[in-house]
Amino acid sequence: MKEISINGEIYVPKSFLNEISPSEKVKNMEYVIVRTYSAGVFAGYIESREGKEVVLRNSRRIWYWEGANSLSQLAMDGTCRPDGCKFAVPVYKIILTEVIEIISTTQKAKDSIEGVPLWKIN
């Protein structure tokens, strides 16, 4: 696969995205919540970590949440108020620098986070 980086953003050919199912892309990756120093909070499949840099696949930015009192509870229980959350659309790949926290999630939390409606402008 040929990835192209433009101004720090990673782009991949559409043909690659279509030939591999989403479940195959993240088959052996752990679903985590990542908090960064200044970019915010993300939930997704951790592909790699090197120092303070983490690569996530199929990740969503967690801009705002309700229904959990902390990221720890969100990672364990998910949210009981999904309609009050603002989780952005998933991105194929993101490289996060200045990571300060990586929290493993339960299957219940993963399902809850992935079930939150997309927060976007149409």
Side-chain angles (χ1 to χ4, degrees):
M1 172 186 69
K2 292 185 178 181
E3 293 181 345
I4 300 169
S5 176
I6 301 173
N7 295 330
E9 296 290 326
I10 304 295
Y11 296 89
V12 296
K14 283 185 179 181
S15 60
F16 176 76
L17 296 177
N18 294 332
E19 68 189 39
I20 301 175
S21 72
S23 61
E24 285 297 314
K25 292 177 197 171
V26 295
K27 192 176 190 178
N28 297 315
M29 296 180 201
E30 180 183 12
Y31 196 81
V32 296
I33 293 175
V34 175
R35 184 166 63 104
T36 66
Y37 179 73
S38 61
V41 177
F42 300 80
Y45 295 89
I46 190 164
E47 179 180 276
S48 64
R49 174 182 171 234
E50 186 173 327
K52 293 183 178 183
E53 185 175 286
V54 167
V55 177
L56 287 183
R57 296 287 183 160
N58 296 356
S59 73
R60 295 180 74 181
R61 185 182 304 263
I62 298 178
W63 191 80
Y64 175 85
W65 75 89
E66 290 183 4
N69 70 351
S70 66
L71 290 178
S72 299
Q73 185 179 11
L74 189 62
M76 293 296 99
D77 300 331
T79 175
C80 63
R81 296 185 193 145
D83 291 333
C85 296
K86 294 179 179 178
F87 296 176
V89 298
V91 296
Y92 171 70
K93 179 179 179 178
I94 189 166
I95 300 170
L96 302 169
T97 59
E98 298 303 318
V99 168
I100 57 176
E101 186 174 32
I102 301 170
I103 309 171
S104 297
T105 64
T106 63
Q107 184 64 44
K108 175 183 174 184
K110 174 188 169 295
D111 293 344
S112 174
I113 292 166
E114 289 183 335
V116 169
L118 299 180
W119 178 59
K120 65 179 185 174
I121 296 174
N122 292 326

